[in-house]
Each structure stands twice: as structure tokens, then as C-alpha cells.
């Protein structure tokens, strides 16, 4: 991290102005992510601080809290970066939360959004942009292409909000005017847009004429109106290059609006005439033409929303028209949009930052260097920064980035791989291919991902690709060898760009003007171009020129200053397009198309990545994390995961029982044959959708009561079945729209979706589908216990491996959830606090009482207390031994015995001699059939101790029992003793 060093003990850090600085940030040890909204406000967060402190968290990890759109459930649609969101509370509520955290030794990690903001009238800077165009005070904030090649868009912002073409909307009189606060506003249903004040006199012309006839031109009120109208006409044009004139325009427009408002308040006749003129502007035979001319004179172009994909002229967050990209690379934009955040850092409110979508920024490294430098200056100490960065394959985060690490999606995926049986996965994949037909079901995921990225580049991101091609054209002209063949045409260049972007193995490169090309970037580009050339779809000459435009190389012709400037602009924009192409193509399309085992279809994951060497990969990756990123976050469930970790843990068990799964799918497809219906030429649900549906139901099926007699099913009651149906229908609709094969967000197939809803309702109807419900309930009960043991092991590994564990709200008990909004349902923290108090009592009982209590946790694992116990005890260990877990070494441990392949174990060791040993089972379903993997089931299995730890006595932080090496080969620990009471073990030993 950059920035000043922390002050010595006993000194007081002071800012440049001499004022005392707050205490250094609370060290980030373990976070709890909270989704803030009007339904869970700052006061609600403050109420649970004692519980989170008792659990062992060091920080509440808040979703964005700057003012967002009204009713936002996530905060990523920031409307005003200068204000705290009033729906979450006021400054006093935030201060009270921080004060409560401080009394418990805790801090705040805040999620910030530097890449984009919300459009719409709730954003005052955007509203000003639509009123004044390039003359707006904050015009530099927004990444708008003011030089669009379409003449009618040059100098204007494309606003695709209409439900039909603008001419048709005007003719239908759907667009009307009104006056508010002395200014004319354009209204289209819920959309509220400003009018260029210089054009407002057109609206008032008839009213002024009528007032003059009725009262005389010399009447004081008429004269006052004339003065306002003359002032509006005299405003400097919005495209004036004169900075002073722009300033006058803004100041005069504000003053004249105030004067007009005052005039309307004191002169009711004037107010009535102006109001009527605005309200009736679109009426009459000439109304539509008059309205159209007025709209054509605005700094924005209202348009049919379907035109956005190909014509929008501002950078968006992915393909969301309502989220406009920011030019945060500009120092003034950074300062203005980060002022409130840095104030919170400076006054001690915020201790650490999480940067959303860092890959969307023009130059992530420059941004992070500025952010960490300024934050450290404001705080008087380094402030940890985490980045939301999807790391794929062998990709690593740049060591030059001044960050603590990523938010942990890469950890999620290599953890998940531990619990997938390689042989069983192969059989599941083969059965899936057989059901779908090998032509479709056996297609490699890489091929699907490439196809999906090409799809989004040709549809929802078409405007981005077109703009990128326009930027490439002058560069290509500059790098073409004189006398050689002519540069390829625009179509060829666009095709080459699409092929290379679709072939990118990572989200983006990080080429920087003036810097040598990083080896990682060169490898990425070499791979992408090799794939593009091998596919032989793009023009070879266009590919060559694109390659030289991205990395000119030593043999390229010397570029003139103008061409080099164009090239750098193109390279920056290229890197901002590859990221949304990957996100929309892979995360939001391909992962919904191929679904043999959906627990592997996760953000940042590759469903085809081999799992046969998962343990080796796990150890190697953790050793690297300990050496290079010991403070990086470790997430298993987030607000963006496709499924919660516990849902994935249950579905992983299918890889251990592929024959049972294949038989169940066949049985259910037969049982539900009558449910299927035709929607047009499609069968609903089709085979792939039905296969996904069964996994989704199985993943969230409630297993929280005792089975019926002789293990018979205990189907949920009608209320719970209705809840399952509601959740499942919402998820399946989202899944098919994301996959874009049967429906889509842009072109929803209402017949297919309605038929699918009906199918889900029929399947979950206890009167019609009793045999199916009993069957799925039995299957869920068969695999759920093994899913619990998977989840316990994954939880312990998450909380003890190198890095900072992140607990998603409520995930300390079993959390069976699908993608948002399913994973953002309210959390019962009162219940969790009561459970934790009970766990504390059990832990502090005498030995006999504790042993009995541990047995109860295992016997009643369905209620989730056993998971909360593992989380709690692991966090207490981290709190008691912060140096060990923050900076301790990572050492894989040897496993021996008959079941060695079913155990993962490692040691953490601090320089002062403190040590911990972690032992976690894996793939236990075929070992125990669902029974708890404890005691004698481990037979002769042992864990070898690393040098220097062979003779120590260890205390288990999960059970309180002690154990010493005394079984099997010298210096080993017997797994049956380590896992005698609970299915996981965390051993601790003091320094010697």
C-alpha cells in the first residue's frame, strides 16, 4: 500500500492543515456483507452490531450508501455522490452506527461505485447535462461521445426511453410539458426531463401574447415576463466553446428560473397562462409538429428504447441504459465524485474500501494509485482497498496495484472444486449430453462462451463495438504500410474486433500509454489472436492491423502524434469493451445455457475446468495467496453469486451419486410428461430448461424436519410449496432470459414464460403431483446431510486459509438461495443472535455437557446451528491469533490411510511459533451415505505433522478437546480422533 506510515504509539497524526486525524483504520480480519436498502437501514445495521461482534466479525461490509435511485435494493445506481442515501438514514444514523462499531472494536468496509451512475431526473448532474449539454457544469463527468457520426446526435445525448418511435409517441400525445420550479419539464410517463432554457420562450409565446392582449404590454407582470423571456433567449448557446459564456449560461438560467418562479407565485394570472400554454403545447392540429421541433432542439434525443443497442452514444455499465459510465480518470471528476467517500475516510467513519467493477475504468492502476494515496493522506495511515475483479484461469492480479486483494471470486471457485467428484462429474456430463443429444450437450463451455460473447457484441453491445470500430479506423490508416494494400473496410475491422474480443481468455488487459507491454497482457493478446486466426472467420489483414494497433511493436512504422493519440484512445476503449463482453457473454448468457452440474456454473468459474487435481490446486493456490495476497478476501456467497454456497454444496453431492441422479431425472421427466405443453413450436419446458429446473428445486428444497415413518417423504405443506413455486418461477424466468435461447429481456417470449410458470405450478401442486413431490423430497433428504458436511468443510477452509473471510448476510446458518433477488431476502438476525447465545452456553459447559451439546449439534444439523458454531469458533480463533491468520505461512499436510483422498489438511504457522492445523473431509457421501463423517469411519487415516510440530499437544478450537501425535507413523495425528465429535477440526497450539 502507498501513503504515509502509521504514527508511532503515543503520537497524534495530523493532516496538512494541522487538525488531528482519527485513529488508524481497524485491521480487516473478517467481514460481514450487509445489503442496505429502505428495508434494512443504518439503524438496523447498528442493532445487529453486538451480535456480529460476538460472532467474531471485525467489519461490517456495507453495500453502497451514497444516494441512489428511490427504492433501490442494491445502491449501485448512484444518483448523487455528494449525499448519504436518505432512504438508509441520515448522518446521525451513520455516526451512531460507527460509534457502536467502535465500542465493539469494529469498523466499516464500504462498497463504492467509481465506474458509473444512474441516469434520470433523480441524478442532478445528469439532469443538468440534459438541460445544458456540453455547457453543463458536470458534463465532464459522463462518458458521452459528443462527436457521434449521426448528424442528428452530434452534440446531443441519446436517451432511449420511449416505448415507440419518437414521431409515433409525439403523435399519440404521450409526451407533454409542465412547469416546475420556474422551468419547463418534459414528461413521458414516469420519465421527467428538463428543457433547454433557451428554448423555453417557444413554449410561452402564446401565453405572453394572450397576456399582452388582456392586460397590455406595459402591465408590470407582462413586462416582468418579457424580461425573463428576453433573458432566456439571450442565454449563450450550449455548444459555445467559451468557458466564461458557459458559466454565464448556467448562472443566468438559474437566476431566470428563480425569477419566473417568483413571478408565477405573485401573479396567478401569469401562472395560469404559462401553465396552460405548457400543458396544451402538444394539443391541436399543429401540436405534434410543434412538439417535435421543440424536442429536436434539445441537448438530448429522445428515442425508442430498442434503438439503444446499436445507437446509444454514452458508455454504460454493461448494457444497462440507465447506468451511464463516468470519466473517473479525470482528476476533477475523481475529486468531485469521491469527496463524500474521502470525507468519511478522513473522519474515521470508513476504514476500508471495496471498489466495484474495477475493470470498467479507463486505467485501473492509475485510479487505484490515486485512491489509495488520497485516502492515506486523509486518514494519516494506509487504508485497505479491495477490488471486485474476476480472475480467470491462470490470471493473477497485478502486483503493482496498491490493493489488499480482490473480493474473492477466485477463492470461491477453487474451494468449490474440492467437493466435486471427478469421475462422477464425467458421468453426469455424459448423461446430460445423452439427454440433450451429443451435438448440443457435449459442446465445450469455451465454445459456448465464445458464441455468447459474439452474440452480445452483435446485439446488446453493438453500439460499443461500432464506436470501437470508428476509433480503430484512423489508427489502422496510420499503421498501414505506405504502398501496401488498402486498409480493410469498416465491416472487416468490426468483424476482427468481435472475434478477438470473443476469444479473450480474461476480462481485459491493462495496456497503459508509455509503459512497456506486460508479459501477462502479451500472453492474453497472443492467445486471443491465435484463436481468432484459427477460427478463420475474421479478415486476416484486419486481424494483423488490429494486432499492430494494440501493440505496435518495434517493427511498426513510426506513428505521428495524432495517430498515436488516436491509438491510445482506441486501446483504452478496447479494454473497456472486453470486460462487459465477458460479463454479459459468460456470466449472464453461457452459464445459463449449459447446465450439467450447475454448482460449477459460478461467477469467475469455468465449468469445464478439471477437478481431478482439485486438492493439489487448492494447496498451490493457497501457498501463493499466503506469499502474495495474504489479505485478499475469501467469498463463497455474495450478492452476485448464481447460487448460495450451501445450495452448491448440496448439488455437488450429485457428482458422487451420478447413477441415482440419472435415474431420478428419468423418473421425474416421466412423471411430469403431462405437465409439458406447447408454446408455438416449442415444448415447455424444453429438455435443458427442465434439467435446470430439477437441479434448482433440489438445491433449495427445505429439509428441516424429520422424515416420515421408515424414511418416507415429508413433503412441505401448501404454504411452503407456494413459496418454493414463487421463488422458482422468478428464478427460471430470469435464467431463460439470461440464456437468451428461449426468451430474453429484450424480446421476452410471453407464451413460453407463461407456460413455464404453469408447469412449475403444476409440478408443485400437492393434489396433482404428489408422487413427484414425494420423490424429490426423498432425494433431497438423501443428499442434504452430505451437503451439510460439504458446507461445514468449505466453511472451515474459508475461515482459516490465507485471506480475509467474508460472510454474506445470514450465511452463518444454512442458506439455500438462488441468484438475486432470491439471495437478498430478509435475514432473521434475532433468531441468529438467540442461536449464538445458546452456542456460547454450550461451549462453556463442563466437559460432559459440552460433549453432549456437540452431539446435539450433529444430530440436529438441519437447523444450521452446527454451521454457525463452526463460523463462530473459527472467527474466535482468528480474533485470538490475528498474526497467525493474517500473515502465517501455509503448509499442506500429508494424509495417509485408506481414505486419504477424502481429507484436506494444512497448517498455518506464525514466525513466533504459534500454529494451527486445519482438517476437513471431502467427498464423504459415498463413504457414509449421508451419516456424519466422524469417529471410526476414518479407520486408519492420519494427518502428518510438519517439521517442528511433531511433538506438540493440540487443542481443538471446535470441540475443546486435546490431542497429541500418537497413532500411525511417528509425528502423525489420527483423523478418527480429530473428527471424533464434529466433522471438521481446527487445532491450535501456542508458541514453544
Amino acid at each position: 500500500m502507498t501513503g504515509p506510515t502509521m504514527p508511532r504509539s503515543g503520537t497524534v497524526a495530523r493532516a496538512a492543515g494541522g487538525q488531528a486525524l482519527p485513529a488508524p483504520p481497524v485491521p480487516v480480519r473478517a467481514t460481514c456483507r450487509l445489503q442496505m436498502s429502505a428495508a434494512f437501514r443504518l439503524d438496523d445495521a447498528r442493532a445487529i452490531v453486538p451480535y456480529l461482534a460476538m460472532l467474531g466479525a471485525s467489519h461490517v461490509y456495507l453495500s453502497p450508501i451514497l444516494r441512489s435511485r428511490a427504492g433501490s435494493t442494491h445502491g449501485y445506481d448512484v444518483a448523487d455522490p455528494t449525499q448519504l442515501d436518505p432512504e438508509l438514514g441520515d448522518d446521525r444514523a451513520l455516526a451512531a452506527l460507527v460509534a457502536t462499531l467502535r465500542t465493539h472494536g469494529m469498523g466499516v468496509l464500504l462498497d463504492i461505485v467509481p465506474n458509473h451512475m444512474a441516469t434520470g431526473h433523480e441524478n442532478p448532474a445528469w439532469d443538468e447535462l440534459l438541460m445544458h449539454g456540453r455547457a453543463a457544469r458536470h458534463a465532464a463527468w459522463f462518458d458521452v461521445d459528443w462527436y457521434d457520426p449521426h448528424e442528428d446526435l452530434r452534440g446531443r445525448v441519446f436517451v432511449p426511453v420511449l416505448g415507440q418511435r419518437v414521431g409515433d409517441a409525439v403523435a399519440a400525445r404521450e409526451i407533454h410539458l409542465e412547469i416546475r420550479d420556474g422551468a419547463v419539464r418534459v414528461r413521458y410517463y414516469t420519465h421527467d426531463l428538463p428543457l433547454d432554457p433557451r428554448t423555453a420562450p417557444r413554449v410561452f409565446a402564446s401565453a405572453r401574447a394572450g397576456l399582452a392582449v388582456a392586460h397590455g404590454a406595459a402591465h408590470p407582470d407582462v413586462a416582468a415576463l418579457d424580461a425573463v423571456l428576453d433573458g432566456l433567449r439571450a442565454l449563450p448557446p450550449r455548444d459555445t466553446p467559451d468557458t466564461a459564456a458557459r458559466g454565464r449560461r448556467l448562472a443566468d438560467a438559474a437566476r431566470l428560473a428563480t425569477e419566473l418562479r417568483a413571478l408565477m407565485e405573485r401573479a396567478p394570472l401569469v401562472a395560469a397562462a404559462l401553465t396552460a400554454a405548457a400543458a396544451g403545447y402538444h394539443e391541436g392540429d399543429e401540436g405534434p409538429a410543434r412538439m417535435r421541433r421543440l424536442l429536436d432542439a434539445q441537448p438530448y434525443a429522445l428515442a425508442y428504447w430498442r434503438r439503444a443497442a446499436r445507437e446509444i452514444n454514452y458508455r454504460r455499465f454493461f448494457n444497462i441504459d440507465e447506468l451511464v459510465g463516468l470519466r473517473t480518470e479525470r482528476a476533477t471528476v475523481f475529486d468531485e465524485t469521491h469527496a463524500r467517500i474521502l470525507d468519511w475516510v478522513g473522519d474515521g467513519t470508513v476504514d476500508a474500501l471495496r471498489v466495484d467493477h474495477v475493470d470498467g475504468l479507463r486505467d485501473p492502476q492509475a485510479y487505484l494509485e490515486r485512491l489509495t494515496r488520497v485516502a492515506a493522506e486523509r486518514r494519516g495511515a494506509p487504508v485497505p482497498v479491495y477490488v471486485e475483479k474476476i480472475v480467470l484461469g491462470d490470471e493473477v492480479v497485478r502486483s503493482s496495484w496498491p490493493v489488499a486483494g480482490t473480493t474473492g471470486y477466485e477463492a470461491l471457485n477453487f474451494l468449490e472444486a474440492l467437493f466435486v467428484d471427478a469421475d462422477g462429474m464425467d458421468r453426469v456430463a455424459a448423461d446430460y449430453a445423452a439427454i440433450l443429444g451429443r451435438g448440443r450437450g457435449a459442446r465445450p463451455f469455451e465454445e459456448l462462451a465464445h458464441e455468447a460473447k459474439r452474440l452480445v457484441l452483435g446485439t446488446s453491445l453493438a453500439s460499443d463495438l461500432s464506436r470501437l470500430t470508428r476509433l480503430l479506423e484512423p489508427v489502422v490508416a496510420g499503421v498501414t504500410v505506405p504502398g501496401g494494400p488498402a486498409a480493410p473496410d469498416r465491416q472487416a475491422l468490426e468483424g476482427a474486433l468481435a472475434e478477438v474480443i470473443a476469444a479473450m481468455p480474461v476480462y481485459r488487459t491493462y495496456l497503459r500509454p508509455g509503459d512497456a507491454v506486460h508479459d501477462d497482457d502479451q500472453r492474453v493478446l497472443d492467445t486471443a489472436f491465435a484463436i481468432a486466426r484459427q477460427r478463420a472467420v475474421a479478415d486476416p489483414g484486419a486481424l494483423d492491423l488490429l494486432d499492430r494497433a494494440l501493440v505496435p511493436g518495434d517493427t511498426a512504422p513510426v506513428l505521428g502524434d495524432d495517430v498515436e493519440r488516436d491509438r491510445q484512445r482506441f486501446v483504452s476503449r478496447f479494454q473497456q469493451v472486453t470486460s462487459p463482453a465477458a460479463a454479459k457473454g459468460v456470466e449472464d448468457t453461457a452459464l445459463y445455457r449449459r447446465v450439467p452440474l450447475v454448482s460449477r456454473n459460478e461467477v469467475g468459474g469455468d465449468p469445464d475446468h478439471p477437478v481431478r487435481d482439485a486438492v493439489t490446486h487448492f494447496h498451490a493456490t493457497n501457498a501463493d495467496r499466503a506469499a502474495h495476497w495474504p489479505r485478499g478476501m475469501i467469498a463463497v456467497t455474495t450478492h452476485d453469486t448464481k447460487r448460495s454456497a450451501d445450495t452448491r454444496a448440496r448439488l455437488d453431492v450429485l457428482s458422487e451419486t451420478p447413477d441415482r441422479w440419472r435415474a431420478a431425472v428419468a423418473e421425474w421427466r416421466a412423471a411430469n410428461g403431462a405437465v409439458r405443453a406447447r408454446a408455438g413450436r416449442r415444448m415447455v419446458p424444453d429438455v435443458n430448461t427442465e434439467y435446470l429446473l430439477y437441479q434448482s428445486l433440489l438445491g433449495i428444497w427445505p429439509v428441516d424436519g424429520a422424515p416420515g415413518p421408515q424414511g418416507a417423504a415429508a413433503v412441505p405443506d401448501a404454504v411452503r410449496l407456494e413459496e418454493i413455486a414463487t421463488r422458482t418461477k422468478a428464478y427460471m424466468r430470469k435464467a431463460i432470459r439470461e440464456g437468451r435461447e428461449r426468451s430474453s429481456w429484450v424480446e421476452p417470449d410471453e407464451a413460453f414464460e407463461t407456460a413455464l410458470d404453469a408447469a412449475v405450478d403444476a409440478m408443485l401442486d400437492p393434489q396433482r403431483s404428489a408422487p413427484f413431490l414425494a420423490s424429490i423430497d426423498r432425494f433431497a433428504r438423501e443428499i442434504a446431510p452430505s451437503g451439510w458436511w460439504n458446507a461445514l468443510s468449505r466453511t472451515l477452509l474459508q475461515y482459516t486459509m490465507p485471506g480475509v473471510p467474508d460472510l454474506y448476510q445470514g450465511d452463518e446458518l444454512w442458506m439455500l438461495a438462488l441468484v438475486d433477488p432470491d439471495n437478498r431476502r430478509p435475514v432473521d438476525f434475532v433468531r441468529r443472535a438467540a442461536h449464538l447465545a445458546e452456542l456460547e452456553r454450550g461451549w462453556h459447559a463442563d466437559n460432559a455437557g459440552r460433549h453432549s451439546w456437540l452431539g446435539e449439534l450433529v444430530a440436529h444439523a438441519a437447523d444450521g446451528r452446527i454451521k454457525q458454531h463452526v463460523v463462530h469458533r473459527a472467527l474466535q480463533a482468528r480474533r485470538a491469533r490475528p498474526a497467525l491468520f493474517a500473515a502465517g505461512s501455509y503448509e499442506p499436510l500429508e494424509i495417509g490411510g485408506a481414505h486419504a483422498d477424502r481429507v484436506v489438511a494444512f497448517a498455518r504457522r506464525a514466525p513466533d511459533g504459534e500454529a494451527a492445523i486445519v482438517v476437513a473431509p471431502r467427498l464423504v457421501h459415498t463413504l457414509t451415505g449421508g451419516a456424519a463423517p466422524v469417529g471410526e469411519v476414518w479407520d486408519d487415516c492420519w494427518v502428518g505433522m510438519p517439521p517442528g510440530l511433531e511433538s506438540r499437544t493440540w487443542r481443538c478450537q471446535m470441540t475443546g478437546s486435546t490431542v497429541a501425535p500418537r497413532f500411525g507413523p511417528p509425528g502423525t495425528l489420527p483423523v478418527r480422533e480429530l473428527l471424533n465429535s464434529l466433522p471438521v477440526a481446527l487445532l491450535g497450539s501456542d508458541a514453544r
Side-chain angles (χ1 to χ4, degrees):
M1 299 289 291
T2 60
T5 57
M6 295 173 60
R8 294 191 300 273
S9 177
T11 68
V12 178
R14 296 188 178 275
Q19 71 272 24
L21 292 167
V26 176
V28 183
R29 185 182 67 248
T31 63
C32 179
R33 169 76 178 203
L34 299 178
Q35 292 297 119
M36 310 304 297
S37 69
F40 189 87
R41 307 173 79 238
L42 294 168
D43 286 342
D44 299 310
R46 179 166 61 91
I48 66 170
V49 166
Y51 162 69
L52 296 178
M54 184 177 178
L55 189 66
S58 66
H59 287 70
V60 292
Y61 168 13
L62 301 179
S63 62
I65 62 173
L66 293 172
R67 189 169 75 81
S68 56
R69 278 189 175 142
S72 175
T73 60
H74 48 75
Y76 291 106
D77 46 357
V78 175
D80 188 346
T82 69
Q83 295 185 32
L84 174 67
D85 194 332
E87 291 192 350
L88 307 182
D90 55 20
D91 289 333
R92 287 189 298 177
L94 180 58
L97 168 61
V98 173
T100 303
L101 288 166
R102 291 289 181 257
T103 63
H104 290 85
M106 297 174 65
V108 171
L109 189 159
L110 179 63
D111 196 346
I112 65 173
V113 193
N115 176 69
H116 56 268
M117 289 180 68
T119 62
H121 67 278
E122 292 179 274
N123 182 341
W126 179 258
D127 200 63
E128 181 198 56
L129 181 78
L130 298 191
M131 180 181 287
H132 297 289
R134 281 178 287 180
R137 182 178 299 104
H138 298 110
W141 282 17
F142 303 107
D143 197 348
V144 177
D145 183 3
W146 296 107
Y147 303 97
D148 193 286
H150 299 93
E151 187 173 349
D152 63 333
L153 285 180
R154 202 160 298 147
R156 305 174 73 197
V157 182
F158 192 82
V159 181
V161 297
L162 303 181
Q164 56 184 324
R165 296 187 181 281
V166 62
D168 295 332
V170 169
R173 291 175 169 80
E174 294 176 334
I175 302 172
H176 64 276
L177 306 179
E178 64 181 39
I179 305 174
R180 190 168 68 250
D181 294 328
V184 182
R185 305 289 301 186
V186 178
R187 294 301 302 267
Y188 174 75
Y189 295 102
T190 60
H191 296 282
D192 181 348
L193 303 101
L195 201 73
D196 180 343
R198 205 165 183 255
T199 66
R202 302 186 193 185
V203 179
F204 299 140
S206 63
R208 190 270 173 200
L211 288 167
V213 170
H215 304 287
H219 189 282
D221 291 338
V222 178
L225 177 59
D226 283 342
V228 170
L229 296 181
D230 289 343
L232 292 173
R233 294 187 189 97
L235 289 174
R238 59 179 184 260
D239 58 355
T240 176
D242 186 338
T243 303
R246 291 183 177 188
R248 287 198 309 275
R249 175 188 168 95
L250 298 175
D252 289 351
R255 174 181 55 79
L256 291 167
T258 300
E259 292 178 5
L260 184 60
R261 182 174 64 248
L263 173 61
M264 294 178 69
E265 289 173 352
R266 73 170 185 266
L269 290 177
V270 172
L274 297 183
T275 301
Y281 195 76
H282 64 308
E283 299 294 349
D285 292 342
E286 295 299 317
R290 187 167 54 237
M291 178 66 81
R292 183 61 186 270
R293 288 193 297 271
L294 180 68
L295 293 176
D296 287 344
Q298 299 311 306
Y300 53 88
L302 285 178
Y304 186 25
W305 66 269
R306 289 183 181 275
R307 293 176 55 190
R310 295 194 174 277
E311 299 180 55
I312 201 162
N313 64 348
Y314 57 83
R315 182 173 62 86
R316 301 162 293 172
F317 172 68
F318 296 165
N319 63 338
I320 302 174
D321 301 340
E322 295 80 13
L323 296 177
V324 57
L326 291 174
R327 298 295 302 271
T328 316
E329 67 273 8
R330 295 177 173 176
T332 55
V333 179
F334 175 92
D335 292 341
E336 292 168 347
T337 57
H338 286 65
R340 191 65 189 270
I341 294 165
L342 291 168
D343 283 346
W344 285 331
V345 169
D347 67 17
T349 297
V350 170
D351 296 283
L353 297 169
R354 181 261 199 194
V355 177
D356 179 66
H357 189 43
V358 71
D359 277 347
L361 301 174
R362 186 183 184 95
D363 186 343
Q365 179 160 327
Y367 168 81
L368 293 168
E369 287 171 347
R370 177 181 285 131
L371 178 66
T372 52
R373 182 183 69 252
V374 176
E377 290 170 353
R378 296 291 294 273
R379 190 59 176 265
V383 175
V385 172
Y386 296 88
V387 290
E388 186 208 29
K389 161 69 185 163
I390 307 302
V391 179
L392 298 180
D394 296 328
E395 184 183 13
V396 294
V397 176
R398 292 293 157 86
S399 60
S400 57
W401 285 11
V403 298
T406 73
T407 53
Y409 282 108
E410 69 280 3
L412 178 158
N413 283 286
F414 73 72
L415 265 170
E416 196 69 38
L418 291 173
F419 304 99
V420 178
D421 182 270
D423 292 333
M425 181 67 237
D426 289 343
R427 291 166 65 185
V428 168
D431 291 338
Y432 171 77
I435 292 173
L436 265 68
R438 294 199 171 273
R440 171 186 168 82
R443 292 180 66 193
F445 184 76
E446 182 180 18
E447 181 180 318
L448 284 174
H450 189 283
E451 178 182 278
K453 285 195 276 187
R454 282 302 311 262
L455 173 65
V456 299
L457 286 166
T459 53
S460 57
L461 298 181
S463 61
D464 301 83
L465 183 62
S466 178
R467 183 179 181 187
L468 190 58
T469 305
R470 294 198 306 272
L471 291 174
L472 177 59
E473 285 183 296
V475 181
V476 166
V479 299
T480 302
V481 178
D489 60 21
R490 176 174 293 184
Q491 184 177 0
L493 292 175
E494 185 169 298
L497 276 167
E499 277 297 307
V500 170
I501 292 172
M504 290 278 288
V506 297
Y507 272 52
R508 65 165 284 171
T509 52
Y510 302 93
L511 304 171
R512 306 183 73 202
D515 284 5
V517 178
H518 194 284
D519 289 345
D520 290 348
D521 289 332
Q522 190 64 64
R523 280 193 293 270
V524 165
L525 291 173
D526 288 346
T527 298
F529 276 97
I531 293 172
R533 290 187 173 101
Q534 184 178 20
R535 286 176 58 84
V537 174
D539 179 275
L543 286 173
D544 290 341
L545 288 172
L546 173 57
D547 196 351
R548 292 167 65 186
L550 287 168
V551 183
D554 297 335
T555 61
V558 176
L559 304 180
D561 291 342
D562 291 345
V563 176
E564 177 58 21
R565 184 176 60 251
D566 289 341
R567 191 190 72 80
Q568 292 179 6
R569 186 181 298 119
F570 162 74
V571 170
S572 295
R573 182 66 60 184
F574 173 83
Q575 296 179 119
Q576 287 180 299
V577 173
T578 62
S579 178
K584 297 306 297 180
V586 180
E587 289 180 38
D588 294 342
T589 304
L591 287 178
Y592 288 94
R593 290 187 168 188
R594 183 169 174 271
V595 293
L597 185 64
V598 291
S599 56
R600 303 200 65 199
N601 291 32
E602 198 47 81
V603 178
D606 177 359
D608 282 350
H609 189 276
V611 294
R612 200 165 299 280
D613 294 324
V615 174
T616 300
H617 180 63
F618 174 81
H619 287 316
T621 304
N622 273 325
D624 183 76
R625 287 176 65 89
H628 300 107
W629 298 104
R631 296 182 296 162
M633 293 179 77
I634 313 165
V636 295
T637 296
T638 77
H639 58 289
D640 277 338
T641 44
K642 305 300 182 186
R643 288 155 200 86
S644 64
D646 292 339
T647 298
R648 298 195 307 270
R650 179 185 289 184
L651 293 176
D652 286 339
V653 181
L654 298 181
S655 70
E656 294 189 74
T657 177
D659 294 339
R660 177 73 176 91
W661 170 236
R662 181 182 64 250
V665 170
E667 175 191 341
W668 298 342
R669 292 188 68 206
N672 291 315
V675 167
R676 299 186 197 99
R678 286 201 172 274
R681 293 182 297 174
R682 295 179 182 270
M683 185 62 72
V684 186
D686 61 279
V687 177
N688 200 56
T689 301
E690 189 173 0
Y691 196 90
L692 173 62
L693 172 58
Y694 293 146
Q695 288 186 77
S696 303
L697 285 172
L698 195 59
I700 66 170
W701 198 262
V703 180
D704 52 8
Q710 288 80 47
V715 175
D717 60 28
V719 173
R720 298 201 67 179
L721 284 174
E722 183 176 356
E723 178 197 358
I724 295 168
T726 299
R727 293 170 59 196
T728 303
K729 286 186 291 186
Y731 169 74
M732 293 304 299
R733 179 164 295 201
K734 179 168 184 171
I736 62 172
R737 287 185 176 183
E738 294 284 21
R740 296 202 282 185
E741 291 181 302
R742 294 147 192 92
S743 189
S744 70
W745 297 106
V746 175
E747 298 282 357
D749 186 331
E750 294 183 5
F752 187 96
E753 293 179 355
T754 300
L756 182 58
D757 285 348
V760 173
D761 283 332
M763 288 182 190
L764 297 177
D765 182 343
Q767 301 302 317
R768 184 215 162 276
S769 298
F772 167 69
L773 295 175
S775 179
I776 199 169
D777 188 85
R778 279 193 297 270
F779 199 158
R781 291 178 184 281
E782 287 176 27
I783 66 172
S786 296
W788 300 333
W789 316 137
N790 281 349
L792 288 183
S793 290
R794 182 209 61 233
T795 298
L796 179 61
L797 297 175
Q798 177 197 8
Y799 281 77
T800 54
M801 60 187 257
V804 173
D806 170 38
L807 171 70
Y808 185 68
Q809 58 180 30
D811 197 33
E812 63 272 34
L813 295 181
W814 301 134
M815 182 181 184
L816 301 175
L818 302 167
V819 75
D820 69 282
D822 196 58
N823 62 12
R824 303 183 192 186
R825 288 171 293 147
V827 176
D828 186 349
F829 284 107
V830 172
R831 175 185 167 217
R832 284 161 174 76
H835 280 331
L836 184 58
E838 177 191 337
L839 294 177
E840 277 287 272
R841 289 192 295 272
W843 177 256
H844 290 291
D846 58 26
N847 287 339
R850 183 188 298 155
H851 181 77
S852 173
W853 165 72
L854 291 170
E856 180 186 345
L857 292 184
V858 174
H860 296 87
D863 62 25
R865 289 176 300 155
I866 190 171
K867 181 183 179 185
Q868 189 179 34
H869 171 70
V870 171
V871 171
H872 178 47
R873 297 317 310 170
L875 287 178
Q876 298 311 305
R878 294 184 70 95
R879 173 184 280 164
R881 303 163 185 258
L884 171 63
F885 290 100
S889 63
Y890 180 91
E891 304 172 48
L893 299 183
E894 181 184 3
I895 311 295
H899 306 306
D901 60 335
R902 299 178 189 267
V903 177
V904 178
F906 59 83
R908 303 293 309 277
R909 189 162 13 181
D912 66 0
E914 273 191 336
I917 289 173
V918 177
V919 180
R922 59 187 289 265
L923 307 179
V924 296
H925 184 75
T926 50
L927 180 65
T928 69
V934 296
E936 295 304 317
V937 69
W938 293 110
D939 194 25
D940 62 345
C941 196
W942 49 263
V943 177
M945 294 294 99
L949 302 182
E950 305 95 329
S951 60
R952 292 193 184 185
T953 296
W954 301 86
R955 185 172 189 265
C956 182
Q957 308 300 300
M958 294 289 147
T959 65
S961 61
T962 59
V963 62
R966 59 182 179 80
F967 176 84
T972 63
L973 292 171
V975 173
R976 68 185 180 204
E977 288 194 21
L978 299 180
L979 307 183
N980 185 45
S981 300
L982 290 181
V984 292
L986 170 59
L987 310 180
S989 172
D990 294 331
R992 287 192 176 181

